[in-house]
Amino acid sequence: MRATVVHEVAPRETAPEPETKPEREAESPPEPLPRTRRLLVVCAHPFDATVTLGGVIAAFADTGTAVQVICMTHDPGPDPDGRRRPVRAGQLLRAARLLGAREATLLEHRAAHLQWNPPEVLATELRSVAGPVDAVLTIDAGAPGSHPDLVRAARAARRVASRLGCPLYAWVPRTWDTDQPPEGVITVTCDRARQRAAIGCHDAPGPRDPAQGPCAEPAGEAADATTDEPQDYLTIR
């Protein structure tokens, strides 16, 4: 039996407001998100929940969706005295609270080792931890070169959605040059200030941590590297 570290998230904390707020240009009304009562977020690493999915999590939470975040791995190295995992769990808890999630769960898999677990086994583990679910959110890991942990987490999330017969939302990077996204892609308007505050809850990844890109920088610098574009994008499967 694999143990889990589970935290129920308290009411959302408020990200600190900047001393001065720059004037914002008039924006078109944000597109409505799909109506979802209970959203399960499946991510491979703690940083994935904030750097990549943080804006989308907060957007769903703001519509009244009950969001549960399950992070499948902790540190890449062994944790013989069990001290590191509670630290990471606490950081994930604080980040989830800022984003408006109601629950955050850190599973006991080691980072960079998730690929050795069959997706069906991981899907069963996710269902044993998750509460009632109406939709699943994860990161699209279909691009060449995607980290094996991300690929495994996405496959497990897809199996959970298939078993439940519910929608699977997958975050995708912007790869198009047109003003409008391709057909089938949902635009999500995001609160980047809140997302940056959530990113700041993490320690900087260690040298063996699989976090890449802006995650490889100290938490503050990772937050600064978050795109200023106020939209993220999802596909539905």
Side-chain angles (χ1 to χ4, degrees):
M1 179 68 69
R2 184 175 292 112
T4 58
V5 180
V6 183
H7 296 270
E8 185 168 341
V9 177
R12 190 180 80 212
E13 293 181 354
T14 303
E17 293 285 344
E19 293 183 2
T20 59
K21 294 183 178 180
E23 294 185 2
R24 299 178 62 180
E25 297 180 358
E27 298 177 352
S28 58
E31 297 182 20
L33 284 170
R35 186 182 297 273
T36 305
R37 291 178 57 199
R38 297 162 298 198
L39 179 68
L40 172 63
V41 180
V42 178
C43 56
H45 315 113
F47 260 112
D48 298 333
T50 53
V51 173
T52 304
L53 296 177
V56 178
I57 290 172
F60 269 105
D62 284 348
T63 68
T65 299
V67 180
Q68 179 183 9
V69 178
I70 298 183
C71 177
M72 304 193 74
T73 72
H74 49 87
D75 278 309
D79 187 21
D81 56 9
R83 294 181 179 179
R84 182 59 187 159
R85 279 168 286 183
V87 171
R88 280 227 163 172
Q91 293 170 353
L92 179 64
L93 171 66
R94 289 168 50 211
R97 183 180 295 147
L98 281 169
L99 296 172
R102 296 194 180 180
E103 292 184 63
T105 305
L106 185 69
L107 301 186
E108 294 292 295
H109 299 282
R110 284 174 56 185
H113 290 73
L114 199 61
Q115 61 182 308
W116 309 119
N117 296 270
E120 288 293 342
V121 173
L122 295 175
T124 298
E125 184 178 8
L126 287 169
R127 287 296 301 127
S128 71
V129 176
V133 174
D134 297 315
V136 180
L137 168 66
T138 192
I139 297 172
D140 185 300
S146 295
H147 191 278
D149 284 353
L150 298 183
V151 174
R152 205 49 121 204
R155 290 177 179 173
R158 184 164 59 245
R159 280 164 172 75
V160 170
S162 177
R163 290 182 187 181
L164 296 174
C166 68
L168 173 68
Y169 304 131
W171 179 96
V172 293
R174 178 166 184 158
T175 57
W176 53 90
D177 296 328
T178 57
D179 292 336
Q180 298 298 322
E183 184 177 355
V185 176
I186 300 172
T187 301
V188 182
T189 300
C190 300
D191 182 344
R192 295 301 186 203
R194 204 156 109 212
Q195 183 178 5
R196 291 186 182 98
I199 294 170
C201 294
H202 301 292
D203 288 340
R208 293 186 295 174
D209 200 300
Q212 300 293 324
C215 306
E217 304 295 336
E221 294 179 26
D224 291 340
T226 304
T227 178
D228 288 328
E229 182 178 318
Q231 291 89 25
D232 278 336
Y233 302 94
L234 301 177
T235 59
I236 304 180
R237 300 177 181 177

